[in-house]
């Protein structure tokens, strides 16, 4: 290390040490995670249609894949291309969630994001008794979400709950973490969050018959990719 470098470091240390303390102690809330929740208007009209469309497609979708344990099935990610008024309704709900989250992250500048900057995709996840989804993230998307379509009753009050996991890995083995946030699978309820937010779905109970959810992602053009 040269003498010049040594003097510069000493000056920096001296400056920090002599800098006056702030008038008020500060405790900052940093890296907060926005989560959107809405009970979608019009759900009572459109959810039965979505249920029929999804179950019919399950029989013919050759690109469907196992999504977790048991017989949980994830459809191909083409739902938004289906031609039906209830799909148009679904698109509007996804748009509203993405717009609200973008405004939470960017404020007024979110209005600069145009439709040509945005791409959305959606797929159905059909779970039967005992099925669950593995913990996962979507780092390639700005926002992700889940719309509950069908959540038939069960004796297990936690069955089918969406669980949002603490995004701070070092906090998980400590009492510093409050643990997962549980989101009830209420039909018509939309939950949305940044794509990097880890989540999973608790297994449906043995006495429940069916759970259907629609999952989705929003991505932005490359110059908008840091929104979330």
């Amino acid at each position: 290390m040269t003498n010049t470098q040594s003097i510069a470091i000493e000056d920096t240390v001296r400056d920090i040490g002599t800098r006056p303390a702030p008038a008020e102690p500060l405790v900052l809330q940093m890296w907060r995670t926005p989560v959107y929740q809405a009970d979608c208007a019009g759900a009572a009209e459109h959810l039965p249609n979505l249920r029929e469309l999804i179950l019919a497609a399950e029989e013919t979708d050759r690109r469907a894949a196992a999504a977790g344990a048991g017989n949980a099935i994830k459809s191909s990610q083409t739902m938004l291309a289906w031609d039906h008024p209830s799909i148009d309704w679904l698109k509007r709900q996804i748009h509203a969630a993405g717009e609200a989250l973008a405004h939470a992250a960017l404020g007024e500048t979110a209005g600069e994001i145009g439709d040509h900057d945005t791409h959305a995709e959606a797929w159905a996840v059909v779970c039967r008794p005992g099925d669950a989804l593995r913990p996962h993230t979507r780092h390639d998307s700005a926002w992700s979400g889940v719309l509950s379509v069908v959540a038939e009753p069960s004796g297990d009050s936690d069955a089918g709950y969406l669980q949002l996991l603490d995004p701070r890995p070092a906090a998980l083995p400590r009492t510093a973490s409050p643990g997962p946030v549980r989101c009830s699978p209420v039909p018509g309820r939309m939950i949305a969050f940044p794509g990097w937010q880890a989540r999973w779905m608790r297994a449906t109970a043995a006495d429940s018959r069916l759970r259907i959810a629609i999952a989705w992602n929003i991505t932005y053009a490359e110059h908008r990719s840091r929104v979330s």
Side-chain angles (χ1 to χ4, degrees), residues 105-135:
L106 298 177
E108 293 182 0
T109 59
E112 299 174 8
I113 301 174
D115 291 342
H116 59 283
D117 292 322
T118 305
H119 173 71
E121 61 183 4
W123 60 96
V125 180
V126 180
C127 296
R128 291 182 171 82
D131 293 341
L133 301 183
R134 302 180 184 95

Side-chain angles (χ1 to χ4, degrees), residues 3 50 63-64 162 167:
N3 288 338
L50 291 172
R63 299 179 61 189
L162 176 69

